[in-house]
């Protein structure tokens, strides 16, 4: 039995009812009206539990709200996910409200990706994570229909996947800090969160036991351009590859000033969300950080990567704190990027999917159709 027939058989009869196996641990999902031969959407909240508290420049948190999504069509199921870190302004309430408004049952052809995105954008302008959850599930579904993973559909070579960085953040307890440093040993690049007032301490703590290359995410934490420049020089002398979002996203002129002087490339993260922002970032930053929860999913993320390349910019692929569902979906793009920060699934203790693996620090894509994930348990 080939994979598609297996999937069909496994999920036969689920077009009108949600499999109790899939979502049983998370209560009854919300579903929109199911119609045979059409796209049927269901979803439910799922709180992601962090293995270590995240100490960011502007807040600290131990959980991240999420919503898990299923899209059914013709006996096949696509999985998707929305993850909503607080700074992006989406919540379980806003995502489920948006998804409840969607009538995807009007689409009898799931390959109408452009139409489906145009429809979602017509329902409400923002809601990027909510749209991403549908987009990811749609890509998973389409890949299963075609029997191919998306990196193959996009013509990408899976041998060209990058190393991924692993994120550590400052911990006031030295033992906790050492624990974070120990956990990053298998990785070839370590991402350091800065902008919290302990910027040099964290690098010095790491450098006492490791010479692994680092990249720095200031999370908009440096508001003085002279200080940002001094930090860039200091970091360049300590094995840093690039600095992500050094200054507040509104400080465009100051960031362009910094870019002209910085010995390290600057990467736009909070500055940039969707495709039109890539052009805006050109000349201000050297690279863009694409994340599915900002770009409304894989469809626009691919276009952003292509545009950035055409503009001569470098491309970084990031993620939020997510299960392996959204991280593996993003990883399908990874053979075409310069840098990857795909550790979101490793930062949580309650992943519900198997997907990408990290071997010797490098992204290894699963040989499965769609986004390449399987439900655990
Ligand atoms: Mg960032």
């Amino acid at each position: 039995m080939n994979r598609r027939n297996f999937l069909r058989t496994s999920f036969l009869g689920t077009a009108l009812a949600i499999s109790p196996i899939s979502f049983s641990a998370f209560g009854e999902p919300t579903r929109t009206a199911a119609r045979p031969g059409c796209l049927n959407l269901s979803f439910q909240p799922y709180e992601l539990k962090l293995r270590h508290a995240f100490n960011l420049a502007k807040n600290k948190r131990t959980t991240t709200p999420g919503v898990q999504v299923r899209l059914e069509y013709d006996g096949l199921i696509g999985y998707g996910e929305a993850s909503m870190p607080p700074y992006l302004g989406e919540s379980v309430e806003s995502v489920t409200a948006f998804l409840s408004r969607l009538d995807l049952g009007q689409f009898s052809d799931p390959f109408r990706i452009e139409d489906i995105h145009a429809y979602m954008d017509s329902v409400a302008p923002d809601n990027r994570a909510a749209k991403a959850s549908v987009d990811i599930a749609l890509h998973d579904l389409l890949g299963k229909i075609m029997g191919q993973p998306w990196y193959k559909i996009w013509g990408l070579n899976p041998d060209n996947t990058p190393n991924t960085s692993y994120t550590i953040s400052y911990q006031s307890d030295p033992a906790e800090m050492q624990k974070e440093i120990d956990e990053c040993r298998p990785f070839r690049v370590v991402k350091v969160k800065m902008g919290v007032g302990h910027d040099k301490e964290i690098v010095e703590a790491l450098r006492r036991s490791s010479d692994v290359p680092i990249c720095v995410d200031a999370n908009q934490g440096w508001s003085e351009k002279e200080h940002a420049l001094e930090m860039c020089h200091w970091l360049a002398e300590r094995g840093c590859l690039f600095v992500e979002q050094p200054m507040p996203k509104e400080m465009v002129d100051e960031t362009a000033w910094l870019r002209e002087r910085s010995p390290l490339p600057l990467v736009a993260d909070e500055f940039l969300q969707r495709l039109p922002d890539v052009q805006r970032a050109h000349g201000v930053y050297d690279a863009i950080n694409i994340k599915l929860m900002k770009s409304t999913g894989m469809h626009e993320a691919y276009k952003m990567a292509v545009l950035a390349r055409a503009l001569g910019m470098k491309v970084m692929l990031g993620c939020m704190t997510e299960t392996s569902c959204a991280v593996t979906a993003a990883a399908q793009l990874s053979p075409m990027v310069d840098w990857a920060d795909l550790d979101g699934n490793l930062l949580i203790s309650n992943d519900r999917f198997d997907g990408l693996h990290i071997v010797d620090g490098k992204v290894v894509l699963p040989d499965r159709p769609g986004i390449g994930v399987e439900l655990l348990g």
Side-chain angles (χ1 to χ4, degrees):
M1 183 184 294
N2 66 29
R3 182 176 293 274
R4 189 181 177 204
N5 285 339
F6 170 76
L7 290 167
R8 278 176 177 282
T9 306
S10 300
F11 296 114
L12 206 62
T14 59
L16 296 173
I18 301 302
S19 162
I21 298 168
S22 306
F23 276 7
S24 58
F26 315 106
E28 192 65 15
T30 302
R31 66 195 73 164
T32 53
R35 283 173 240 168
C38 299
L39 288 167
N40 295 312
L41 176 70
S42 58
F43 52 89
Q44 65 185 159
Y46 185 66
E47 186 175 74
L48 305 165
K49 301 185 190 327
L50 302 182
R51 294 173 57 235
H52 297 289
F54 250 27
N55 294 299
L56 303 180
K58 299 198 172 178
N59 57 51
K60 172 176 179 170
R61 63 176 201 265
T62 57
T63 62
T64 296
V67 172
Q68 297 282 310
V69 164
R70 285 166 49 127
L71 200 52
E72 302 180 37
Y73 178 83
D74 196 21
L76 293 172
I77 296 177
Y79 293 104
E81 170 178 29
S83 172
M84 298 87 73
Y87 76 91
L88 286 179
E90 288 181 77
S91 63
V92 169
E93 292 71 26
S94 69
V95 169
T96 54
F98 177 82
L99 296 177
S100 298
R101 289 179 65 191
L102 294 182
D103 174 20
L104 296 181
Q106 66 185 286
F107 296 101
S108 57
D109 181 356
F111 283 88
R112 297 279 176 89
I113 304 175
E114 287 277 343
D115 289 353
I116 292 168
H117 269 282
Y119 164 67
M120 288 199 291
D121 281 337
S122 76
V123 170
D126 297 318
N127 301 95
R128 289 180 292 272
K131 290 169 185 173
S133 70
V134 175
D135 170 280
I136 294 167
L138 183 62
H139 279 74
D140 194 27
L141 186 66
L142 295 177
K144 286 171 177 169
I145 291 171
M146 292 185 275
Q148 298 293 339
W150 271 91
Y151 70 83
K152 281 192 182 176
I153 297 166
W154 281 326
L156 303 176
N157 181 348
D159 295 338
N160 292 342
T161 55
N163 294 324
T164 184
S165 55
Y166 182 78
T167 302
I168 59 174
S169 59
Y170 177 79
Q171 304 292 337
S172 52
D173 178 351
E176 276 295 309
M177 188 73 244
Q178 191 55 49
K179 208 162 126 190
E180 288 227 16
I181 290 171
D182 291 343
E183 285 184 5
C184 75
R185 284 190 203 288
F187 293 84
R188 295 180 186 176
V189 183
V190 170
K191 178 168 168 173
V192 180
K193 294 281 191 181
M194 287 197 169
V196 289
H198 307 281
D199 292 355
K200 292 186 177 176
E201 287 173 51
I202 185 171
V203 174
E204 284 163 349
L206 179 67
R207 280 289 170 261
R208 278 194 281 276
S209 57
S210 169
D211 59 0
V212 65
I214 60 171
C215 54
V216 160
D217 188 353
N219 282 115
Q220 312 185 76
W222 300 334
S223 52
E224 300 287 336
K225 64 184 182 185
E226 290 82 5
H227 172 65
L229 182 58
E230 188 252 315
M231 286 302 299
C232 287
H233 280 290
W234 189 84
L235 289 165
E237 293 164 6
R238 285 161 181 79
C240 182
L241 302 174
F242 60 84
V243 176
E244 190 181 331
Q245 201 62 55
M247 307 186 74
K249 60 184 178 183
E250 299 81 11
M251 298 181 73
V252 178
D253 293 343
E254 292 85 347
T255 304
W257 178 93
L258 178 64
R259 176 173 174 259
E260 284 177 13
R261 293 158 178 81
S262 170
L264 298 175
L266 306 183
V267 182
D269 184 10
E270 285 87 346
F271 177 82
L272 162 138
Q273 310 283 340
R274 298 187 61 173
L275 183 61
D277 300 324
V278 178
Q279 183 70 55
R280 243 173 16 96
H282 185 230
V284 181
Y285 295 86
D286 300 287
I288 61 167
N289 186 352
I290 299 172
K291 296 176 179 174
L292 299 189
M293 295 302 140
K294 300 191 301 181
S295 69
T296 70
M298 299 165 71
H299 188 57
E300 198 155 315
Y302 179 80
K303 293 180 183 179
M304 291 171 74
V306 171
L307 176 56
R309 280 264 175 272
L311 291 169
M313 302 177 78
K314 289 193 179 295
V315 178
M316 176 180 179
L317 186 62
C319 61
M320 306 298 179
T321 305
E322 300 162 346
T323 73
S324 291
C325 177
V327 178
T328 309
Q332 299 292 324
L333 266 176
S334 67
M336 67 186 294
V337 308
D338 300 281
W339 303 306
D341 180 29
L342 295 174
D343 64 348
N345 57 324
L346 304 176
L347 305 178
I348 62 170
S349 59
N350 58 340
D351 201 349
R352 44 187 311 255
F353 290 92
D354 177 64
L356 86 167
H357 288 186
I358 307 299
V359 179
D360 292 333
K362 181 179 158 74
V363 173
V364 176
L365 291 164
D367 184 19
R368 298 188 188 115
I371 62 170
V373 298
E374 275 183 2
L375 263 176
L376 296 170

